[in-house]
């Protein structure tokens, strides 16, 4: 028994080693010289991003923290194409997608929003939601919308959530709790193969227990499917304990970052201290 | 008794015919959450085009199909105005409705009323004739029911296809459709085409039954169809085995009953449109009460 287990371990290590060896320099996302001004030419003009640069390594799990208005959501919106960019380039897997429409980018980007209502269709049943998303890679034709052969697969996937949703296939998603909907959103966002998973405070609207549950699930999905992930969170505990890289944003810039060993040594107190520093700086400059 | 039966047959016949429009408006208003006012123009468009085509000797069934296409084209314009040119939903509908008035006048060669007395219609040829010969005026009811039920079944089937699911998704949460890598705007346009196509078909069938088309017959159609959809949902929405397309038709039946009863009680026709608005407001309030009870948070504040 022992020797068998050992063998397995070695094999896995070899595999992961190879993987890291191949991918160590591969970048899934590159922001390059990004500029974004809101309300240009008005009294409300706001230069949010001036020459913003950031890259995310393949298979990395990046947590982003930062005060309100520091530009986290805007960064994600630019990445997804939800809002237009003033200048600069966004590359995914080396390919320039700056001009690509939002719905086109969705074919390789999965996104879970803060609002549990946004990631699913409240008016459709769980089964209909999953069937729709299961078809993402194919055409939406006049074939039956629900493929009976896939129902068992959906049930299996749902049972992994441990929320009993597998028995609620015919229930409208709008009647589920926030935590259930967010778990389902995550499942749906990662059901078809994607290159990048975007989580924008996806646990912020949940009660503490559900948010732990969804965060656990997030970790499981990411490590199973090896998806490059960027997670914005207000929960410093999550930022510290999950992910392999930590970024702190302020006024459209990354003001602090730690990865690997360094990140493991970052404590919540370190982060709050940094926040305090920033707000004092802000006070001084005002 | 005879009067009563006579009235009943009129209510049922018109309920089925206008019911086709109610199904169309169900798609735009309920499925897509789009208050589409172009319906006031596409309904007479169907009627006028159908009369014009029949005058030209076109087969009445083919005329119906062409009218559906004409309505769909009008819906396409509404959709493009809203989705591509970013004009608000209400205004897009008003623009198309207004423009269609000219189109309808062109179609009827500038006649306000185009009659097709004794020309071929789906009611006096083929199956329609057979039914009339056997059942008299109830034959017309059956014919109207057949068309309405075929439409209902086809729409139900469509809404359960992949494309139909995506359409429902676009109405429920357009962001979700975006996340599937599809353009929700295109789905909106498709739904508007379908809704207006069915509305025009409804106008075409009514014209063939009445054997005349009236350019101004569209006034109040949106209000009537919306009221029917809301009323139907409020009264029958909770009965799980009745589909939404059926509740729209049932809503129309009840609405037509209300109108007919009022007219029978001696209401002057000039009050008709005011009554339609009044019935709509009641339907809206009943619908809202129901919604509140289902503690659904999103109220349709737009209408
Ligand atoms: N669509 C917009 N129009 C105008 N200003 C915006 C818009 N979106 C964001 N902003 C501004 O940009 C700043 C950053 O916002 P956001 O990216 O949402 O911050 P965060 O997600 O970090 O809290 C804020 O000051 C906000 O007011
Ligand atoms: Mg934000």
């Amino acid at each position: 028994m022992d020797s068998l287990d050992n063998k397995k371990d070695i094999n896995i290590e070899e595999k992961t080693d190879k993987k890291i060896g191949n991918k160590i320099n591969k970048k899934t996302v590159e922001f390059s010289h990004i500029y974004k001004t809101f309300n240009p030419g008005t009294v409300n003009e706001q230069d949010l991003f001036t020459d913003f640069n950031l890259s995310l390594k393949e298979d990395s799990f990046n947590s982003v923290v930062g005060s309100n208005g520091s530009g986290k959501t805007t960064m994600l919106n630019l990445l997804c194409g939800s809002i237009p960019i003033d200048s600069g380039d966004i590359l995914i897997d080396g390919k320039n997608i700056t001009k690509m429409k939002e719905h086109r980018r969705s074919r390789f980007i999965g996104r879970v929003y803060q609002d549990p209502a946004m990631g699913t269709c409240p008016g459709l049943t769980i089964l209909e939601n999953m069937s729709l998303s299961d078809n993402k890679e194919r055409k939406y034709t006049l074939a039956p919308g629900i493929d009976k052969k896939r129902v068992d697969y959906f049930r299996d996937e749902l049972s992994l959530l441990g929320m009993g949703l597998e028995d609620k296939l015919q229930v409208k998603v709008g009647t589920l709790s926030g935590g259930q909907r967010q778990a389902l959103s995550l499942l749906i966002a990662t059901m078809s193969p994607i290159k990048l998973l975007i989580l924008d405070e996806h646990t912020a609207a949940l009660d503490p227990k559900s948010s732990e549950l969804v965060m656990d699930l997030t970790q499981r999905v990411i490590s199973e499917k090896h998806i490059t992930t960027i997670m914005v969170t207000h929960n410093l505990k999550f930022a510290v304990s999950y992910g392999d890289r930590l970024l702190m944003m302020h006024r459209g810039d990354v003001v602090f970052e730690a990865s690997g060993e360094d990140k493991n040594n970052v404590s919540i107190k370190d982060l709050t201290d940094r926040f305090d520093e920033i707000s004092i700086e802000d006070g001084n400059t005002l | 008794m005879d009067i009563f039966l006579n009235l009943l047959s009129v209510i049922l016949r018109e309920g089925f015919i206008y019911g086709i429009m109610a199904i169309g408006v169900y798609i735009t208003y309920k499925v897509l959450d789009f208050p589409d006012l172009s319906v006031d123009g596409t309904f007479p468009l169907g009627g006028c085009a159908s009369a014009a085509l029949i005058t030209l000797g076109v087969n009445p069934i083919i005329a119906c199909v062409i009218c559906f296409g004409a309505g769909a084209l009008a819906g396409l314009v509404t959709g493009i105005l809203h989705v591509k040119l970013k004009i608000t939903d209400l205004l897009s509908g008003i623009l198309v409705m207004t423009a269609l008035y000219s189109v309808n006048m062109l179609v009827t060669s500038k006649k306000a009323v185009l009659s097709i007395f004794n020309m071929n219609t789906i009611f006096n040829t083929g199956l329609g004739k057979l039914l009339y010969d056997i059942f008299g005026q109830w034959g017309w009811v059956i014919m109207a029911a057949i068309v309405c039920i075929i439409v209902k079944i086809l729409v139900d089937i469509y809404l359960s296809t992949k494309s139909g699911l995506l359409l429902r998704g676009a109405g429920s949460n357009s962001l979700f459709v975006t996340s599937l890598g599809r353009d929700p705007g295109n789905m909106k346009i498709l739904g508007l085409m379908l809704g207006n196509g069915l509305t025009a078909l409804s106008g075409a069938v009514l014209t063939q039954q009445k054997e005349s088309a009236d350019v101004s017959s569209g006034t109040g159609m949106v209000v009537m169809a919306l009221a029917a959809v809301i009323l139907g949902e409020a009264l029958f929405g909770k009965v799980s085995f009745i589909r939404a397309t059926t509740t729209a038709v049932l809503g129309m039946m009840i609405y037509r009953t209300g109108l007919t009863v009022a007219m029978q009680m001696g209401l002057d026709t000039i009050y008709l449109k005011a009554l339609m608005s009044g019935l709509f407001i009641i339907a809206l309030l009943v619908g809202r009460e129901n919604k509140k009870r289902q503690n659904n948070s999103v109220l349709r504040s737009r209408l």
Side-chain angles (χ1 to χ4, degrees):
Chain A
M1 264 305 267
D2 266 341
S3 66
L4 251 177
D5 271 350
N6 273 340
K7 244 188 198 163
K8 242 194 203 160
D9 278 345
I10 290 166
N11 266 336
I12 289 170
E13 254 167 42
E14 266 175 14
K15 259 192 203 152
T16 38
D17 260 343
K18 253 192 206 154
K19 207 169 179 183
I20 290 170
N22 283 339
K23 297 186 173 176
I24 203 146
N25 282 322
K26 226 175 142 188
K27 290 165 185 164
T28 300
V29 178
E30 280 179 88
F31 289 95
S32 139
H33 308 293
I34 304 295
Y35 288 79
K36 178 72 192 175
T37 301
F38 282 118
N39 309 313
T42 71
V43 279
N44 293 323
E45 178 167 307
Q46 184 190 5
D47 299 313
L48 185 58
F49 290 113
T50 357
D51 198 12
F52 175 79
N53 295 284
L54 178 69
S55 52
L56 309 177
K57 269 193 266 173
E58 179 154 37
D59 284 356
S60 63
F61 182 171
N62 307 268
S63 309
V64 181
V65 294
S67 48
N68 276 326
S70 55
K72 305 178 299 290
T73 298
T74 305
M75 172 178 74
L76 302 181
N77 282 339
L78 290 171
L79 184 54
C80 295
S82 324
I83 56 172
I85 194 168
D86 292 347
S87 72
D89 290 307
I90 297 175
L91 278 66
I92 291 208
D93 271 359
K95 193 170 157 253
N96 196 327
I97 58 148
T98 318
K99 295 216 164 65
M100 197 184 274
K101 283 230 169 83
E102 180 177 20
H103 69 271
R104 287 267 160 197
R105 298 187 201 190
S106 300
R107 297 192 180 177
F108 46 81
I109 300 179
R111 187 173 186 178
V112 181
Y113 298 85
Q114 175 173 352
D115 182 354
M118 288 166 98
T120 46
C121 277
L124 303 190
T125 64
I126 294 185
L127 180 58
E128 287 167 337
N129 269 277
M130 295 189 81
S131 302
L132 263 180
S133 126
D134 193 37
N135 198 59
K136 185 172 168 180
E137 309 280 292
R138 274 161 273 133
K139 285 214 161 78
Y140 288 86
T141 59
L142 294 179
I146 288 162
D147 184 353
K148 295 217 169 70
K149 279 176 274 168
R150 297 291 281 170
V151 173
D152 282 338
Y153 164 73
F154 295 155
R155 232 183 231 123
D156 289 348
E157 290 279 297
L158 285 169
S159 66
L160 294 179
L161 303 179
M163 288 176 163
L165 294 184
E166 62 276 14
D167 301 323
K168 295 189 174 171
L169 281 176
Q170 299 298 346
V171 168
K172 288 232 169 90
V173 169
T175 65
L176 300 180
S177 73
Q180 289 173 326
R181 284 170 82 166
Q182 213 56 332
L184 186 62
S185 299
L186 188 70
L187 187 64
I188 281 176
T190 54
M191 222 158 82
S192 48
I194 46 172
K195 293 187 203 294
L196 177 66
L197 177 63
I198 289 180
L199 309 167
D200 188 1
E201 304 202 29
H202 72 307
T203 62
L206 308 179
D207 60 78
K209 194 161 163 272
S210 327
S211 88
E212 295 275 351
L213 238 148
V214 168
M215 200 53 232
D216 251 17
L217 177 70
T218 308
Q219 174 68 57
R220 226 165 54 213
V221 169
I222 292 172
S223 47
E224 258 171 41
K225 306 202 174 177
H226 300 287
I227 310 170
T228 311
T229 302
I230 178 162
M231 173 180 80
V232 168
T233 179
H234 266 152
N235 187 323
L236 297 183
K237 193 178 125 229
F238 287 168
V240 166
S241 43
Y242 291 93
D244 40 38
R245 187 180 182 207
L246 178 63
L247 301 158
M248 185 186 282
M249 285 185 64
H250 180 61
R251 290 187 164 183
D253 231 331
V254 174
V255 290
F256 169 80
E257 92 160 274
S259 50
E261 268 307 297
D262 292 343
K263 180 183 178 275
N264 295 339
N265 296 327
V266 177
S267 69
I268 294 182
K269 179 146 189 330
D270 295 336
L271 287 182
T272 47
D273 286 350
R274 278 297 301 191
F275 271 124
D276 287 343
E277 261 173 56
I278 289 168
S279 29
I280 290 167
E281 275 169 31
D282 261 13
N284 288 342
T285 51
L286 271 175
Chain B
M1 196 61 200
D2 264 1
I3 295 177
F4 173 75
L5 279 181
N6 197 26
L7 277 181
L8 185 66
S9 88
V10 172
I11 289 173
L12 287 174
R13 187 183 72 216
E14 299 196 331
F16 280 122
I17 297 178
Y18 287 112
I20 301 169
M21 170 173 65
I23 294 174
V25 167
Y26 160 75
I27 293 173
T28 49
Y29 182 64
K30 274 290 161 185
V31 175
L32 286 180
D33 197 15
F34 190 110
D36 177 24
L37 301 189
S38 35
V39 164
D40 268 17
T42 37
F43 184 80
L45 171 68
C48 295
S50 153
L53 288 166
I54 283 173
T55 311
L56 290 173
V58 175
N59 173 299
I61 296 177
I62 294 177
C64 284
V65 175
I66 297 176
C67 288
F68 175 87
L73 217 57
L76 176 70
V77 176
T78 308
I80 289 175
L81 288 179
H82 176 63
V83 172
K84 305 287 180 198
L85 305 184
K86 316 270 182 236
I87 298 172
T88 60
D89 44 13
L90 290 173
L91 196 52
S92 301
I94 291 173
L95 290 170
V96 168
M97 172 181 96
T98 307
L100 280 176
Y101 193 79
S102 301
V103 173
N104 293 339
M105 283 305 256
L106 275 178
V107 170
T108 60
S109 316
K110 299 186 191 166
K111 286 195 201 97
V113 176
L114 184 59
S115 88
I116 48 170
F117 281 127
N118 294 325
M119 292 184 209
N120 287 350
T121 70
I122 56 170
F123 290 92
N124 63 21
T125 59
L127 179 64
K129 180 172 165 19
L130 185 71
L131 289 169
Y132 184 76
D133 288 346
I134 302 172
F135 300 106
Q137 61 173 352
W138 290 94
W140 287 339
V141 176
I142 298 171
M143 191 61 206
I146 290 174
V147 180
C148 183
I149 290 170
I150 289 177
V151 165
K152 181 206 121 63
I153 291 174
L154 287 179
V155 169
D156 283 342
I157 291 177
Y158 170 69
L159 288 176
S160 74
T161 64
K162 289 180 186 211
S163 171
L165 267 190
L166 197 63
L167 183 81
R168 289 165 59 203
S172 179
N173 176 7
S174 66
L175 204 59
F176 185 68
V177 172
T178 305
S179 80
L180 295 175
R182 299 305 190 286
D183 187 348
N186 289 342
M187 295 316 290
K188 253 191 190 161
I189 294 176
L190 185 67
L192 283 166
M193 291 176 71
L194 198 53
N196 281 290
L198 292 177
T199 301
L201 176 63
S202 168
V205 174
L206 188 72
T207 284
Q208 294 198 19
Q209 195 277 315
K210 286 196 181 317
E211 303 195 347
S212 88
D214 184 345
V215 186
S216 60
S217 63
T219 314
M221 284 304 123
V222 175
V223 166
M224 182 163 87
L226 284 178
V229 169
I230 296 168
L231 207 60
E233 192 193 17
L235 297 175
F236 307 103
K238 283 202 214 90
V239 190
S240 60
F241 59 87
I242 302 184
R243 282 176 201 260
T245 43
T246 311
T247 68
V249 177
L250 291 177
M252 184 57 86
M253 296 283 180
I254 287 172
Y255 188 95
R256 297 300 307 177
T257 307
L259 271 192
T260 310
V261 167
M263 305 310 286
Q264 283 304 309
M265 282 163 50
L267 187 83
D268 194 319
T269 42
I270 59 163
Y271 298 115
L272 188 64
K273 303 294 179 192
L275 180 67
M276 284 165 78
S277 286
L279 282 176
F280 177 61
I281 292 169
I282 293 171
L284 201 61
L285 293 179
V286 172
R288 198 181 284 179
E289 262 326 293
N290 261 27
K291 244 188 186 168
K292 254 190 228 153
R293 250 176 273 132
Q294 293 165 18
N295 70 58
N296 196 333
S297 56
V298 198
L299 279 183
R300 317 251 150 160
S301 49
R302 280 193 287 172
L303 268 171

